[in-house]
Amino acid sequence: MDPEMVALAGTAGTTLVTMLTTEAWQSVREGFASLWHRAQPDRADAISAELEATRSDLLTAQANGDLDSREELGAEWQGRVRRLLVAHPEEMEALRTLLNELAPHTPEVPSVTQHATASGQARVYQAGRDQNFGQR
């Protein structure tokens, strides 16, 4: 598998899911549906409907405080895009162009930097999200 293709599909899945809950969601839907329309015209309507369903799922999850759904749906779309690119590698450039067009509308994701220093018998536990500790 072409690593560039995998990376592009990963970026596309994340961007797609991130932008479906923004004001630019219609442009995202149209852009991705157009990609499928060129490569697999018989699937274009179904993909458009699946994008609508994904948006609905994301909005519901967001309202319920479900943070895991975004990652799960992003992984699903990453897989769909990757499979499309495997079958139609000629669409890689079109996907890059679409992602570049959407870039100005992509919300900024805050970055987190963690630093820790431990000495002696000290322990440092760092996490970007949840941490669970069980008894030994």
Side-chain angles (χ1 to χ4, degrees):
M1 173 85 31
D2 180 3
E4 183 182 357
M5 186 181 290
V6 172
L8 183 61
T11 300
T14 301
T15 300
L16 168 72
V17 170
T18 298
M19 294 191 65
L20 280 178
T21 56
T22 68
E23 291 183 16
W25 76 271
Q26 290 179 336
S27 296
V28 173
R29 184 191 65 210
E30 291 168 9
F32 278 86
S34 175
L35 187 71
W36 256 270
H37 183 69
R38 282 190 308 278
Q40 299 175 342
D42 57 318
R43 292 266 304 130
D45 289 338
I47 288 297
S48 188
E50 290 171 26
L51 287 166
E52 293 277 348
T54 299
R55 181 176 192 275
S56 178
D57 290 347
L58 281 169
L59 291 172
T60 300
Q62 195 172 328
N64 294 330
D66 178 2
L67 303 175
D68 295 327
S69 287
R70 184 174 298 276
E71 286 182 34
E72 291 168 358
L73 291 166
E76 285 178 28
W77 279 100
Q78 176 182 346
R80 286 181 179 138
V81 171
R82 187 192 57 75
R83 289 187 299 277
L84 178 76
L85 294 177
V86 166
H88 300 277
E90 70 277 6
E91 293 299 326
M92 285 180 64
E93 192 55 41
L95 180 57
R96 277 191 206 94
T97 300
L98 174 61
L99 293 175
N100 286 335
E101 289 171 2
L102 295 173
H105 306 288
T106 306
E108 290 293 320
V109 177
S111 63
V112 176
T113 304
Q114 298 179 344
H115 301 278
T117 304
S119 62
Q121 298 291 322
R123 294 182 185 170
V124 175
Y125 300 95
Q126 292 182 305
R129 224 179 106 176
D130 300 338
Q131 256 188 9
N132 298 302
F133 297 93
Q135 291 182 331
R136 292 183 182 194

